Amino acid sequence: MQEAGLEVSRDEAGNLFGRRGAACVWSGSHLDTVPNGGRFDGALGVVVAIEAAGRLRDTELGVVAFRAEETGPMGSRRLAELPDAFVEVHIEQGPVLELLGEPLGIVTGIAGQVRGTVTFEGRAAHAGTTPIDERADALIEAAKFVLHVRESARDGGLATVGALEVVPGATNVVPERVTVSVDVRAPTADGLEKLIEAIGFEPTWRQDPIGMSGPPLEALRAVLPGAPELVSGAGHDAMVLAAAGVPTAMLFVRSLNGGASHSPNELSSAEDIALAVDVLTEALALVEANRLSALPEHERP
Ligand code: HGY
Ligand code: MN
Ligand code: MN
């Protein structure tokens, strides 16, 4: 960020901000990722934003590297009160652009998601002396629920059990308690509600579906006329900014390897990433120029 000529600061949550001047227009993404994740989820958007800022030496703007996006975006909530506009570049994390043979895509909206856990109670017992029919095996009930979660998502939306905690978790003890994670996604609020009801659990965290909008979206469409437009099934920091009322847009970079993501197989090409830098550079300059021209004469720098 310093090499790009930005003034760098960090907040108490560990978010990293690079500013030039008033910095009303921002770009960036997150630096955290999932266990054993890929190298592009988040980091790609941070590096592309820094590169674009380094080219726009006369443009006042900001670049941000958020913390803790994967665990229910916390970092991005801080930026909501700062900017007039936010543009996030992100690897698509899906197969659409690769199937279309397109290097870049414009995001029109971000699917809603809810997360929570369900706990199954059983009774600890000796694996070698407790008859099968005498057992209250929490893991058997949890296993049935895991299948139920998957079947519930058959008619729309997505539902995933990614983590299981088995207590006491010993080879020779019948499980007495099992906690199951639930992750549910749907492009509409109605679809989300239907899936929550079908699964039958109480979410503890929610992000409603949200649209991209305003000057950042118009700028991407102006810079990339005719580019494919798609809804993101993955959540992003951009959804938090948009939900806070900040005009927000996202640019997707083609995922290779069939859209593999949250996996070491995640991949975008250097050529596509270079194109994204060109597009983001033009779009940020356009958003800031339009913002300035919309200011009353006496407020312009
Ligand atoms: O889970 C998501 O959609 C994002 O990767 N945090
Ligand atoms: Mn991400
Ligand atoms: Mn991710």
Side-chain angles (χ1 to χ4, degrees):
M1 284 181 173
Q2 284 161 345
E3 283 168 29
L6 300 172
E7 190 200 325
V8 179
S9 64
R10 192 188 290 273
D11 70 8
E12 58 281 7
N15 299 303
L16 200 59
F17 301 98
R19 284 180 177 80
R20 184 179 294 123
C24 297
V25 176
W26 286 74
S27 183
S29 191
H30 59 99
L31 280 184
D32 64 312
T33 184
V34 295
N36 201 29
R39 292 173 298 144
F40 298 84
D41 178 4
L44 185 153
V46 174
V47 172
V48 167
I50 293 172
E51 188 61 34
R55 296 184 186 181
L56 294 168
R57 297 278 169 160
D58 300 331
T59 304
E60 297 191 343
L61 51 72
V63 171
V64 59
F66 291 122
R67 292 279 182 254
E69 187 276 336
E70 297 292 356
T71 45
M74 265 92 75
S76 33
R77 291 192 192 132
R78 287 301 308 273
L79 190 73
E81 62 259 20
L82 287 182
D84 291 351
F86 181 68
V87 184
E88 180 170 4
V89 176
H90 203 286
I91 183 171
E92 179 202 335
Q93 299 180 294
V96 174
L97 294 177
E98 189 176 38
L99 290 171
L100 291 173
E102 291 279 348
L104 302 175
I106 295 174
V107 176
T108 54
I110 301 175
Q113 55 176 296
V114 296
R115 298 179 188 173
T117 58
V118 175
T119 298
F120 295 86
E121 300 290 349
R123 191 177 54 253
H126 195 298
T129 57
T130 315
I132 292 294
D133 293 338
E134 307 289 311
R135 295 181 179 199
D137 185 335
L139 189 49
I140 299 298
E141 294 316 307
K144 289 177 195 162
F145 177 74
V146 172
L147 290 172
H148 164 66
V149 167
R150 181 188 172 95
E151 289 317 305
S152 305
R154 283 264 175 244
D155 53 2
L158 292 172
T160 310
V161 170
L164 267 184
E165 188 202 9
V166 181
V167 172
T171 308
N172 58 354
V173 180
V174 174
E176 80 177 285
R177 186 177 331 106
V178 174
T179 301
V180 176
S181 72
V182 184
D183 175 310
V184 173
R185 314 282 174 114
T188 63
D190 183 45
L192 211 48
E193 284 316 315
K194 277 207 183 93
L195 206 34
I196 294 167
E197 208 179 309
I199 293 170
F201 83 113
E202 275 304 312
T204 49
W205 178 84
R206 168 191 294 265
Q207 189 75 43
D208 288 328
I210 191 93
M212 303 290 94
S213 69
L217 179 58
E218 290 149 23
L220 287 180
R221 284 174 168 158
V223 173
L224 263 184
E229 300 200 354
L230 60 165
V231 172
S232 173
H236 301 285
D237 290 300
M239 67 193 175
V240 175
L241 278 296
V246 177
T248 298
M250 285 193 79
L251 178 69
F252 269 174
V253 181
R254 172 168 41 191
S255 278
L256 301 175
N257 292 345
S261 182
H262 282 187
S263 136
N265 300 325
E266 186 176 79
L267 181 66
S268 277
S269 72
E271 294 75 22
D272 291 353
I273 295 171
L275 269 179
V277 176
D278 296 343
V279 170
L280 181 67
T281 303
E282 265 192 77
L284 290 177
L286 194 54
V287 174
E288 176 58 3
N290 291 343
R291 188 188 70 81
L292 290 174
S293 62
L295 290 176
E297 193 80 30
H298 66 279
E299 282 185 28
R300 288 182 207 156

